[in-house]
Amino acid sequence: MTSRITGTGSALPEKRVTNIDLQELVETSDEWIRERTGIVERRISTGDTVADLSAKACERALQAAGKTAQEVELILVATCSPEMLLPCCACQVQDQIGAVNAVAFDLNAACSGFLFALNTAHAYIQAGLYNNALVVGGEVLSKLVDWKDRSTCILFGDGAGAAYVEASTQDIWCPNGRRVGMESMVQGSDGTRANVLSCVQRTVHNAFLEQSNKEEFQYIQMDGQEVYKFAIKQVPTCILEALDKAGLTTEDVDLFILHQANERIIESVARRLKTALSKFPMNIDKVGNMSSATIPVLLDELNRSGAIKQGDRIVLSGFGAGLTYGADVFVWG
Ligand code: COA
């Protein structure tokens, strides 16, 4: 028994914010942002919540899979930027799409969130607890970003992506001899590196403290160079580990769909894996870094454009705050 993705969907806010627009807010330039990150523009919410965008992405994924909301058994929303602590975003999505029979909860592993949620859904399905799941990565990071901090505000964008994942009870063999479904996964966390990328929400604050600890709202804090160094080392390492677990090499892979944090990180990973950059599709120029939404939005874009074919072997890999990282290997179909 394995699991397979049978439908994808995504949703982006309408408002485009270009690098030129950002020149009005902070001391930066279109040239600097393009050269250092590959980003040209990003989408920014003018009111859409994480739940709104995630629900739209889910509806599109269901439509693509030919399923109804009533059939959904599990909804997992990966997010680090929900508008509400209670209820969880997944329950709001359940309500918006009318998935009355689903169990729904959130999961936060920052930019690795979609990958970790996909793995969680796979594990549930493999254990026989559920037959299907809507796996979502949704973020409205624009509210966590300090729009006066040029080292972070240029990087992030808002959006959501979803995948409908189903149990594959009988083996499906592709003409190229590959079996459809998940082949291997690797995930990891290094909690000692929490200060490299963080966003404090509420510190301890209650009626029994002698001194009130109530703090002002805080924005994303990041040591960009440390994240960069972590990513270019950890991403190729965990991809190779995941391939090795499946008895495969980089040559067996058709597409590497990586977390879109920085074009230079992706180029470096491709070099370290000694693999042509053409196997690493990118959309960072149009959407920036949408944290957990990045991988499923790109997956949906590629799926809808016909860039992914049945039998293609795909590697998904992400990294983010935590620090967290992971890689999955699967055959599409
Ligand atoms: N516009 C213009 N100049 C900027 C700038 C901006 N938006 N942001 C920083 N600078 C300046 C710095 O102040 C510094 O100036 P100085 O040399 O006078 O001190 C100079 O540019 C170089 O800064 P540095 O931080 O060394 O740049 P960098 O090449 O490391 O690029 C990042 C910065 C953030 C783009 C890069 O480190 C990165 O992408 N890191 C990974 C971040 C990430 O992926 N985070 C999310 C993880 S999920």
Side-chain angles (χ1 to χ4, degrees):
M1 157 94 85
T2 185
S3 69
R4 64 194 184 107
I5 296 174
T6 56
T8 59
S10 58
L12 299 173
E14 275 182 22
K15 187 173 176 60
R16 288 185 155 84
V17 173
T18 65
N19 293 344
I20 311 282
D21 295 328
L22 292 182
Q23 288 178 190
E24 305 292 317
L25 292 182
V26 287
E27 202 183 322
T28 190
S29 67
D30 177 43
E31 192 191 2
W32 192 97
I33 302 172
R34 279 177 196 249
E35 274 179 12
R36 302 281 179 129
T37 70
I39 301 168
V40 178
E41 61 180 39
R42 69 287 289 142
R43 300 297 188 92
I44 298 295
S45 170
T46 53
D48 293 308
T49 64
V50 179
D52 294 338
L53 294 168
S54 299
K56 271 188 210 153
C58 283
E59 278 165 353
R60 289 169 187 161
L62 283 174
Q63 200 180 26
K67 302 290 176 185
T68 65
Q70 291 75 28
E71 289 174 81
V72 178
E73 296 183 12
L74 174 66
I75 302 174
L76 291 178
V77 175
T79 183
C80 59
S81 58
E83 283 76 25
M84 296 173 78
L85 286 177
L86 308 168
C88 67
C89 185
C91 284
Q92 297 171 59
V93 170
Q94 175 194 28
D95 178 42
Q96 285 198 28
I97 67 173
V100 289
N101 298 309
V103 63
F105 60 91
D106 290 0
L107 186 154
N108 177 359
C111 304
S112 308
F114 177 79
L115 205 70
F116 284 23
L118 187 64
N119 295 345
T120 305
H122 173 73
Y124 270 122
I125 288 171
Q126 218 178 21
L129 291 173
Y130 301 108
N131 291 305
N132 65 60
L134 270 171
V135 180
V136 191
E139 307 285 0
V140 177
L141 294 166
S142 54
K143 61 180 179 284
L144 302 182
V145 163
D146 180 354
W147 291 97
K148 295 191 190 84
D149 175 10
R150 68 176 182 174
S151 68
T152 53
C153 78
I154 55 139
L155 296 172
F156 299 104
D158 302 332
Y164 186 79
V165 184
E166 288 185 57
S168 192
T169 43
Q170 282 177 338
D171 287 348
I172 301 170
W173 291 97
C174 304
N176 60 8
R178 293 174 180 168
R179 194 186 65 141
V180 168
M182 187 72 86
E183 295 186 304
S184 79
M185 56 175 75
V186 163
Q187 48 187 12
S189 308
D190 180 2
T192 65
R193 319 262 331 262
N195 60 345
V196 172
L197 179 50
S198 63
C199 185
V200 173
Q201 194 180 40
R202 289 187 182 197
T203 49
V204 179
H205 168 66
N206 60 49
F208 305 98
L209 288 178
E210 278 181 20
Q211 224 182 351
S212 172
N213 244 349
K214 199 170 180 185
E215 284 179 26
E216 289 293 304
F217 182 81
Q218 291 189 31
Y219 294 103
I220 289 177
Q221 306 278 332
M222 182 180 72
D223 181 337
Q225 287 187 3
E226 277 303 307
V227 178
Y228 193 97
K229 279 191 270 174
F230 167 77
I232 60 169
K233 192 161 162 268
Q234 195 62 63
V235 171
T237 303
C238 71
I239 289 175
L240 290 175
E241 198 183 329
L243 287 172
D244 193 49
K245 267 173 90 171
L248 301 164
T249 70
T250 49
E251 285 175 14
D252 300 309
V253 180
D254 298 292
L255 280 179
F256 294 82
I257 301 177
L258 265 47
H259 175 49
Q260 309 277 299
N262 185 319
E263 191 179 62
R264 288 187 296 140
I265 292 178
I266 298 169
E267 287 166 356
S268 171
V269 171
R271 271 196 307 276
R272 282 168 188 245
L273 293 176
K274 298 186 177 60
T275 301
L277 192 59
S278 56
K279 285 191 174 183
F280 292 74
M282 291 187 230
N283 64 355
I284 188 169
D285 56 328
K286 298 191 292 289
V287 288
N289 178 350
M290 299 178 292
S291 190
S292 70
T294 296
I295 289 177
V297 167
L298 180 54
L299 185 66
D300 182 49
E301 208 176 280
L302 295 165
N303 186 23
R304 282 173 193 270
S305 70
I308 306 178
K309 299 177 295 298
Q310 198 200 20
D312 279 349
R313 180 172 283 116
I314 296 173
V315 165
L316 303 183
S317 183
F319 62 93
L323 296 169
T324 55
Y325 56 90
D328 283 359
V329 183
F330 62 88
V331 173
W332 190 261

